[in-house]
Amino acid sequence: MERVPLRHYAALLIRYLRPHWKRVVLLGVFMFTGIGLNLINPQIVRYFIDTAQAGGPVQNLVWAGVAFLAIGIVRQGVQIVSSYLGQDVGWRATNQMRNNLAHHCLNLDMGFHQQHTPGEMIERVDGDTMALSNFFSQFVIHVIGSAFFLVGVLALVFREDWRVGAALTGFSVLAFVVFNLTRNIAVPIYTRERERYARLYGFLEERLLGLEDIRTNGAGDYTLNRFYKVNQGVFDRIKKSEFMSEGLRAITGLMFALGYALAMGMGIWLYEEGAFTIGAVFLVFHYTSMLREPLFQISQQINDLQRATAGLKRIEELHRIQTRIRDGREKLSASRPLGIAFDHVHFAYHPGDPVLCNVSFSLEPGKILGLLGRTGSGKTTITRLLFRFYDIQRGQIRIGDQNIENICLDDLRQHVGMVTQDVQVFNASVRDNLTLFRSGVSDEKIIGILRDLGLGAWYAALSEGLDTELVASSLSAGEAQLLAFARVFLKNPGLVILDEPSSRLDPATEQQINRAVERLLQDRTGIIIAHRLETVERVDNILILDNGRVRELGPRAELVADPNSRFSRLLNAGLEELIA
């Protein structure tokens, strides 16, 4: 795997830590204060030992002990604050990275999302970012702080004797060389581990969504067998990554053993030569033992950096994927209702497999179009193209008097609304479910729309009003459909698409939905994907698709009056024949 240069990590730190520079500065103050206190304490112990050996005043020994305890207490407080600030800065930076990645993924075209399961995307957005959280929260404290601590220790040891200082410097350089050589060895292993986790989460998400089908078809044993194989793949990768982690820890342990032997040997030699006192020998040995913690932290952080590198590479790989849907620059200038026009539109999800072929039709503002056709004829594709989830290969789509490709996506989707048969209900408050988490919508407006749609009694029964938490299982199919209508009313679009929401409801609820449809289509252009005969009675025009081609198009009244029209024959035979 390609090596990640250190400047890349530096650029990443600067990018995400710059907005929190005040906290970073404060963290630096406490971190260097802690380093200074750690370096001072051994000097006090050295003074205590040498003073005691020389028979110095007891008062001096007492004050040295008091200073030692006071510095130890202050040091603990400083470390607590440093740890808090490090975690705080780390999580702020990580959350910003997670937000950026989630925003990027949400703006990728639907073709990308069809190729990646939601479980996989959760692992990519949250799991890989989590692998970087330790890099942001601990790296500054444990690596940069440890590096400064090492420099301080070596400087103080040089002050005692240049030979000991040179020996420990050589030892430190050797340790860094060894650690640097191992820095990227584990990256491919950790990368494959993250990929296995993504596959596992994707598998679980798909099987949980299809749990009802799995049970009704007796596929539980097969699913568990597949789960075992996928989980075994994760387990195998974890074993390899843990072996690598233990190998890095073993290298660290060996380096510690060499350091202790070096410090003890040189201390004894210099004491016998008369160059060191007992206090100086203790000081050198203690400073060497203190190197254990920063070296261990550096080793651990290098180990975590391998995981961060794997996550970083996957995150960057995801960021390099660019949507094929280029945002337009024009605001949608036409006022509601909006007219639409398809002009010789060709579209295919996959090259060589066209879904729409030379489709042309127009719909005047305020008119309603009944869209008919068998399953797979292209009805749903037309609605997706109006939201510009995909771009067409040839032709042109116009909304108002503007090419749809020139309109800002946010503006376009704000002016086009849709109600489907399958309504997504979020585990959130009624208010958030209706506004889709938009702020600034007044409670009075929301309540008024609920009452207009016949949901006044339902709202009155809510225990906490608009703050009541909703779950999908608490709503009937009719209530869920009416909530979807309320969403569109709050959006107030100029073009509404209805995938006949009343087709699966009981007659009483269907009448309530039909009244909502009539209200929604007032002063708006509408497209109704029809599944039943009653629905197309309210439309102005009829468009019949077959294998992605326009088979019939015209005013409904004219088609009904023409006994040779396909629509007239469908009315005589029953619309169900069309979608059989």
Side-chain angles (χ1 to χ4, degrees), residues 23 26-27 30 77-92 137-138 141:
R23 286 182 171 84
L26 189 60
L27 172 62
F30 276 90
V78 169
Q79 288 178 346
I80 291 173
V81 176
S82 297
S83 179
Y84 169 79
L85 289 173
Q87 292 291 339
D88 180 68
V89 170
W91 277 105
R92 288 174 185 271
S137 63
Q138 301 294 329
I141 295 178

Side-chain angles (χ1 to χ4, degrees), residues 330-342 363 365 382-388 396-408 411-413 415-417 494-495 497 525 527:
E330 300 177 3
K331 289 290 184 180
L332 191 56
S333 58
S335 59
R336 50 187 296 266
L338 295 169
I340 63 173
F342 277 56
L363 185 62
I382 284 180
T383 64
R384 290 173 176 173
L385 295 179
L386 285 171
F387 281 97
R388 208 175 162 218
Q396 188 179 96
I397 301 175
R398 302 184 69 81
I399 292 186
D401 295 325
Q402 297 170 264
N403 187 332
I404 196 173
E405 295 184 0
N406 297 332
I407 303 172
C408 295
D411 203 43
L412 169 68
R413 293 166 185 172
H415 287 81
V416 181
L495 171 63
I497 302 170
T525 306
I527 296 178

Side-chain angles (χ1 to χ4, degrees), residues 10-299:
L12 190 69
L13 279 171
I14 293 172
R15 176 184 176 185
Y16 284 101
L17 295 182
R18 182 182 290 127
H20 315 294
W21 66 270
K22 292 182 179 179
R23 286 182 171 84
V24 173
V25 170
L26 189 60
L27 172 62
V29 171
F30 276 90
M31 181 180 69
F32 284 108
T33 300
I35 291 173
L37 294 176
N38 282 332
L39 294 175
I40 289 174
N41 252 355
Q43 299 285 347
I44 296 176
V45 176
R46 182 257 186 93
Y47 171 81
F48 185 94
I49 292 173
D50 287 344
T51 301
Q53 185 182 26
V58 175
Q59 183 180 2
N60 292 352
L61 298 177
V62 172
W63 281 112
V66 170
F68 180 84
L69 292 174
I71 290 176
I73 294 172
V74 173
R75 183 182 61 186
Q76 289 299 317
V78 169
Q79 288 178 346
I80 291 173
V81 176
S82 297
S83 179
Y84 169 79
L85 289 173
Q87 292 291 339
D88 180 68
V89 170
W91 277 105
R92 288 174 185 271
T94 305
N95 287 340
Q96 183 60 49
M97 175 177 285
R98 186 180 289 109
N99 291 341
N100 292 344
L101 188 60
H103 183 267
H104 174 75
C105 291
L106 289 173
N107 283 283
L108 293 176
D109 54 74
M110 295 302 294
F112 169 85
H113 290 287
Q114 288 181 343
Q115 297 174 5
H116 299 82
T117 66
E120 179 185 353
M121 295 312 301
I122 290 173
E123 170 62 13
R124 297 290 293 272
V125 172
D126 187 64
D128 287 339
T129 307
M130 185 64 69
L132 282 169
S133 64
N134 191 59
F135 171 70
F136 284 109
S137 63
Q138 301 294 329
F139 189 86
V140 172
I141 295 178
H142 293 310
V143 175
I144 298 179
S146 295
F148 277 102
F149 183 77
L150 285 172
V151 171
V153 168
L154 294 176
L156 291 174
V157 172
F158 261 108
R159 180 186 174 191
E160 297 298 323
D161 189 279
W162 69 269
R163 292 165 292 186
V164 180
L168 288 184
T169 300
F171 162 73
S172 299
V173 171
L174 177 63
F176 278 118
V177 170
V178 173
F179 292 149
N180 189 57
L181 290 175
T182 62
R183 188 169 67 91
N184 282 292
I185 293 176
V187 173
I189 296 175
Y190 293 135
T191 299
R192 286 190 287 269
E193 179 188 353
R194 303 308 311 172
E195 290 172 350
R196 289 290 182 173
Y197 269 116
R199 186 179 302 178
L200 174 63
Y201 293 142
F203 176 88
L204 290 174
E205 181 266 338
E206 286 182 336
R207 271 55 180 186
L208 289 174
L209 286 177
L211 185 60
E212 185 174 330
D213 289 335
I214 290 173
R215 288 179 173 177
T216 55
N217 288 282
D221 291 340
Y222 168 78
T223 300
L224 285 175
N225 185 53
R226 288 287 301 142
F227 173 75
Y228 171 78
K229 292 181 179 179
V230 175
N231 203 35
Q232 183 65 37
V234 176
F235 178 65
D236 292 340
R237 297 303 179 188
I238 290 176
K239 284 195 299 183
K240 292 183 179 180
S241 66
E242 288 301 318
F243 279 134
M244 179 58 65
S245 298
E246 290 302 321
L248 294 177
R249 292 189 187 99
I251 292 174
T252 304
L254 179 61
M255 299 304 297
F256 293 156
L258 291 174
Y260 282 132
L262 180 64
M264 182 61 72
M266 295 201 70
I268 294 173
W269 170 57
L270 291 173
Y271 176 75
E272 291 178 347
E273 292 288 325
F276 269 14
T277 63
I278 294 295
V281 173
F282 165 81
L283 184 69
V284 170
F285 186 81
H286 189 71
Y287 274 145
T288 304
S289 67
M290 291 177 68
L291 292 177
R292 176 183 177 86
E293 183 63 22
L295 286 176
F296 174 79
Q297 291 294 345
I298 291 174
S299 174

Side-chain angles (χ1 to χ4, degrees), residues 393-462:
Q393 281 79 46
R394 295 201 306 274
Q396 188 179 96
I397 301 175
R398 302 184 69 81
I399 292 186
D401 295 325
Q402 297 170 264
N403 187 332
I404 196 173
E405 295 184 0
N406 297 332
I407 303 172
C408 295
L409 289 173
D410 289 342
D411 203 43
L412 169 68
R413 293 166 185 172
Q414 178 62 36
H415 287 81
V416 181
M418 186 171 183
V419 178
T420 64
Q421 295 179 21
D422 299 320
V423 181
Q424 176 65 53
V425 178
F426 300 96
N427 290 332
S429 68
V430 174
R431 181 187 295 102
D432 288 337
N433 265 281
L434 294 178
T435 63
L436 296 179
F437 306 94
R438 286 183 296 127
S439 59
V441 181
S442 67
D443 291 355
E444 292 76 13
K445 183 176 181 179
I446 297 173
I447 296 170
I449 289 176
L450 290 176
R451 289 172 177 166
D452 290 343
L453 291 174
L455 288 173
W458 174 82
Y459 169 74
L462 296 176

